[in-house]
Amino acid sequence: MRRKLSSSADEDNDDSSLKASQAVNDTEKRTFSTAKYDVARHSDTLDRRKVEKALSPAQLSPDTLSSTAKRTASPKSPQVSTAEESEDRAMNIRGRRRFGMRSPWSCSLLTLTASLSSLLLMLFILHSFMTRQLDSKGCDMYYTRSLFFNFADFDTEHTRFAAKYSLHLYREVGFDEDPKVKGVPVLFIPGNAGSYRQARSLASETVQYYYNTVQQNKEALNTGATSIDFFSVDFNEDFTAFHGQTLLDQAEYLNDAVAYILSLYHDPRRSQRDPSLPDPSSVILVGHSMGGVAARTMLTMPNYQSNSVNTIITMSAPHARSPVSVDADLVRTYQRINDHWREAYSQEWASDNPLWHVTLISIAGGTLDTTVPSDYASLTSLVPSTHGFTVFTSSIPAMWTGADHNQATWCAQLVRPVARSIFEALDVHRPSQTKPRAERMRVFKKWYLTGIEDTAEKNLPQVEPSTLLTLEDQSNSINPVGKRLVLRNLGESGQPSAHVLPIPPHAGLGQKKFTFLSNLPLQDVSDSGHLDVLFCSVLPLQPGHSAQLFSLNIDLSDGQTGATRLACKNAASDRIVLPASYRTSIQPFDKKPPFSYLQYDVEDLPEHQFVAIVDRAAESRHGWAVAEFSDNVESNVVIETGLRNLLLFGTHFKMPATRPLVTTYKIPALHSSLLAFKLHMGKQACGEEAELFTPLLRQYLSEPHESRYFVNVKEANISLHGIAPFMPPPLRSQAISNGLSLQFWTDPTCDSSIDVSLEVDVGGSLGKLVMRYRTVFAAFPLLIVALVLRKQFKVYDDNGTFVTFMESMDFCFRTSMPLLFLALTFLAMSLTMASAATVMPPQAGRSSWSTNATESAIDYTVNDLLLGSQDPIFWILVPMFGLISAGIIVIMNYIALAIISVLQAPLTLFASWSGRTKRELAKRSSLPAFSSTSPRRRIITASVLLLLVSTVIPYQFAYLVACIVQLATCIQASRHVRENRTEANHNFYNYAHSILILMLCVLPINIPVLVVWIHNLAVHWLTPFSSHHNVLSIMPFVLLVETLTGGHIVPRVTTRLTYVTNVFFFLIAVYAAVYGVTYAYLLHHLVNCVAAWLVALHFSVNELSVSGLGRMLEGGSDDSNGDIKKRP
């Protein structure tokens, strides 16, 4: 009985002379290793029946089943039986080979359908992200004439990072070109890969505003305003978002820079500051992106000088959580920083709080920021409202537009209010150079918030009466109680006129409110304005004394006796600007004069009896005004509906014909940032008179402070940054209970009802998943690969065949994958219910976060697991992301196959070009499949690489090298499969290819830290990392890859140890799903443990000695499965 050693066509066509010569050569040159290979080859032949018995009937080919049936049915004579059994055995082998040699490109119908479905779903999500629910860009570019001075003397005597970072002072050409300090220090901190030149726009605005405005305002100078010395730090465009140690290094350098900046004001040679003023003891910080996180980190560092920072303004900074979790140091640093801030504000007494004097303002760009999710800019889990808040750029008065990540540094509509708020917060007469914390918070709220918030502070109670209004006793300008006042064509009479509304009596807390809207600006007493809104009380004064007590005297009595005199307060300081809404309006940031709006609760006006609208225009200005007292019951409507009903049916309501000027509809169930809606509003039909304005809509959240305006509303895209995945719970649990609010300003003179509908935008909602869940696809694909490898090893240990990656994928699609995702779905639902139970309203009788102490311990990691969702209705995301991840892995597999095929082609062409004859090819088929270097050289190579990891290079670099070597191994294995289609070659190629896919899944986790290291080399910073030099983090990968370069497949495990491999891959799959997003860096170490286990299996066939290691690396011994033969 004979058996073919090779299935190649060249070997089948060998002539007899070639066979004879080969036999002679083989006899003469036979060695111990080739003899051992022959023994293993014949042992493999004798064991094939055992393997066939281990195979299930479904896995056997039809030829195998038929031959088995023949043998069972009719016993023959020994000679005939032997021949037929030989033929049957050959058929069984062919059938088994067809099972094990399935093309790696082949794909079942189920896998193909699932992959195409996931690809289409992924493309639809990306298309929705780029085309739907997009905000219009309204930022104007800010132009400067910048000049930077570098402080070369800020060297290694002051900081150990002087060779890497530098400090600069900004000056504006044409205004101030003197490098000496003279004002209040402000330090700009760039973000991830940011430049110190990003400070130009804000610094230029501070210079121009000071010399053009503040310097001419004596009142501002008397209250403490002065010039600003704007410093900026050059971090050489460090990648702070990828590396925790880099973040700590920047924070340490910033503290050194603050100490150096403060020292400049003590040096007469470097300072032109007024000697009568106290020297600055603190610096105002402005941080962009990760620069804002570095600013908060400064206050936790050992070299931080107490009270050297008391004001921090950040733009697009991810405070709540790390944007990526691929670095262990970054995750731990974030946790330490946030714990420090939470612990500080949990102290019962202010004296125990090291951050009591600090104010923190976080400005977010909104949906236009596609670099960092704006949800991460929230401070609700870090800082109480007494010390800071989060505001979106679309909420800032007169800006009313979003800003992308970099626009926040140069958007003219943003840098102006930021610069003005800094000036107003200054008090140069204090060592801290700023006003007290409470006053600073009042200033920031004035400049950044809309003023319509429930917590907005009004200036009216604090101001003194400044206007004396004299009216006739029989004046017909007094409106009846409860009647709306509508004024058209203001100034048309050509003389001043007053319209008075009596303030209704208090009917109870929050029962009535006063609202006023006009298209004209409101002017203060000192301004020569055209429209005044005055809150008055009767003041019986003697004639002739009014000029001595009031700044402005408005006498409309025509000199008649018995006139009524009113002492009035001007409400101009409480003016709220709203975007103008006309038929021609398109965007809220259009260059049109804004509306003026006032809003007061009646209980806030106890000392006043009248509201007077005074028209002082001397000519017609086409102005109008509407004023009224309305019931809160009519103007505030709560839509009680569940989220499920909103998603299925939407909500529809009708605004009645007789409605207040302002109507607010609150939808408590709508609070998720994963949902987007479409709002449709019917036409506002007016009668004979022309409408004053078209409907204006404001959608808003209480916390964080996010408002978006829609002018001339017909349709609106409704999306919000409310409860987002993976976000820690807020300090104040009631902050999320209000949900979304829709506030409408409609023309009350249009006596018609308006239909409004709100329906879910499915495509827009899917697009919202990209920013919130993009990091999921660094973890979930590993789940798929772990399941596939688990199945491959199980089949291999059972019958000795290492199936292809796609064949194992098909098995997983039918069995383990649906079951695991079903279990994860139930786990996600239970986690969301646990999260909802954690975030509960405060107990009755207990005050909510009114002081600086939290009521009880809060688990801020409750939303870190799985998909981090806080609503059970999003359970469908688990199987959906699983399907998309499976499609990603299928695409990755085919890309890897294509790369291997493309890179293999030159090797094949080179072999053909070298002129190999059939005789040479046939001779080559009997030689070893892999030619290996000497064991000593390979051991030395691995040792040198590990030595470099322990001293100079991070292990991520070694991992990249291992991936490249593994790719080369797959290319070589693929070439040998083409030349010699044996089962052993196919098994090894499938094994090597699957290990490559596993390593490629972990590669994105290692690339960011590698980028940081390469960047440090580029800027000539050669100091090694303090972390990422653990040899054990890469040694198993190196040993496994080195073993595979020798052509060794892992030995089969037929004992109970096979469950260890099974459990390893299952644990990786579960961990990748549950913890992979929050702790992605641990995925590398888990896969590293699997690599160590596979290396241990490879070592199990050798003696645990240096000689055994050499034989294993060289390929001098084979496993029990008859693996690929090796050259001695």
Side-chain angles (χ1 to χ4, degrees), residues 918-956:
K918 292 182 179 180
R919 181 187 302 271
E920 290 172 338
L921 292 174
K923 180 178 180 181
R924 189 178 183 281
S925 65
S926 63
L927 292 178
F930 285 80
S931 58
S932 60
T933 58
S934 65
R936 178 180 299 176
R937 178 179 300 179
R938 295 167 68 184
I939 292 176
I940 292 175
T941 301
S943 300
V944 169
L945 183 60
L946 295 177
L947 179 62
L948 290 176
V949 169
S950 65
T951 55
V952 180
I953 65 176
Y955 70 77
Q956 288 82 359

Side-chain angles (χ1 to χ4, degrees), residues 261-561:
I261 290 172
L262 294 177
S263 69
L264 295 177
Y265 294 88
H266 299 277
D267 188 354
R269 298 170 301 173
R270 311 293 295 270
S271 174
Q272 290 182 347
R273 188 180 172 89
D274 186 351
S276 64
L277 297 175
D279 292 327
S281 62
S282 67
V283 177
I284 298 174
L285 303 180
V286 179
H288 173 247
S289 186
M290 290 298 294
V293 181
R296 288 201 304 121
T297 309
M298 293 171 58
L299 279 66
T300 68
M301 299 296 292
N303 66 332
Y304 169 67
Q305 295 182 10
S306 180
N307 299 326
S308 61
V309 173
N310 66 9
T311 303
I312 304 175
I313 301 175
T314 66
M315 298 175 289
S316 303
H319 292 292
R321 63 178 286 116
S322 170
V324 294
S325 59
V326 297
D327 178 50
D329 287 344
L330 184 63
V331 174
R332 286 192 288 264
T333 299
Y334 251 89
Q335 184 177 0
R336 183 174 61 84
I337 297 169
N338 291 346
D339 288 346
H340 175 84
W341 281 69
R342 290 169 183 146
E343 183 180 355
Y345 289 116
S346 67
Q347 301 300 319
E348 184 177 0
W349 302 104
S351 58
D352 298 329
N353 182 1
L355 305 177
W356 178 254
H357 62 288
V358 178
T359 55
L360 175 61
I361 309 300
S362 176
I363 303 174
T367 56
L368 288 180
D369 190 347
T370 56
T371 302
V372 174
S374 290
D375 307 282
Y376 292 0
S378 175
L379 299 176
T380 55
S381 64
L382 297 170
V383 178
S385 58
T386 54
H387 290 72
F389 58 85
T390 304
V391 63
F392 284 73
T393 57
S394 57
S395 303
I396 297 177
M399 183 171 180
W400 301 320
T401 179
D404 66 29
H405 200 67
N406 290 324
Q407 279 180 343
T409 61
W410 55 258
C411 182
Q413 294 96 318
L414 178 59
V415 298
R416 291 190 183 107
V418 171
R420 284 155 174 76
S421 67
I422 292 176
F423 273 107
E424 195 167 335
L426 297 181
D427 188 353
V428 73
H429 305 293
R430 293 164 52 90
S432 64
Q433 304 297 291
T434 59
K435 291 180 172 65
R437 177 191 54 80
E439 294 185 32
R440 271 180 283 140
M441 286 297 299
R442 192 175 297 112
V443 169
F444 293 138
K445 289 180 179 180
K446 167 190 170 182
W447 283 101
Y448 300 142
L449 301 186
T450 64
I452 317 176
E453 294 82 7
D454 295 335
T455 58
E457 297 182 9
K458 302 297 184 181
N459 294 320
L460 188 66
Q462 282 75 39
V463 300
E464 295 295 330
S466 58
T467 303
L468 178 63
L469 179 62
T470 306
L471 300 175
E472 300 178 6
D473 280 345
Q474 304 299 324
S475 174
N476 57 4
S477 61
I478 299 179
N479 239 36
V481 177
K483 184 179 179 180
R484 177 185 297 123
L485 174 64
V486 179
L487 303 176
R488 297 176 183 268
N489 299 321
L490 292 174
E492 189 175 24
S493 62
Q495 59 184 1
S497 61
H499 305 271
V500 180
L501 284 78
I503 297 177
H506 301 172
L509 185 63
Q511 293 297 314
K512 285 184 176 294
K513 67 180 179 181
F514 170 79
T515 54
F516 169 86
L517 184 67
S518 176
N519 65 337
L520 297 180
L522 299 182
Q523 303 296 335
D524 204 349
V525 177
S526 59
D527 300 324
S528 58
H530 303 280
L531 184 65
D532 297 312
V533 178
L534 308 175
F535 287 83
C536 308
S537 58
V538 177
L539 183 64
L541 288 177
Q542 297 297 326
H545 294 281
S546 61
Q548 300 176 6
L549 298 176
F550 298 95
S551 303
L552 180 62
N553 183 12
I554 303 176
D555 190 352
L556 303 178
S557 64
D558 293 333
Q560 297 181 7
T561 59

Side-chain angles (χ1 to χ4, degrees), residues 16 52 117 130 163 167 206 213 263-264 315 419 537 561 567 626 671 725 729 776 798 801 1002 1057 1061 1100 1107 1116:
S16 58
E52 291 169 7
S117 300
M130 294 183 292
L167 181 66
T206 60
T213 305
S263 69
L264 295 177
M315 298 175 289
S537 58
T561 59
V626 180
H671 50 244
V776 166
D798 288 344
T801 301
V1002 183
L1057 289 178
T1061 308
S1100 65
S1107 59

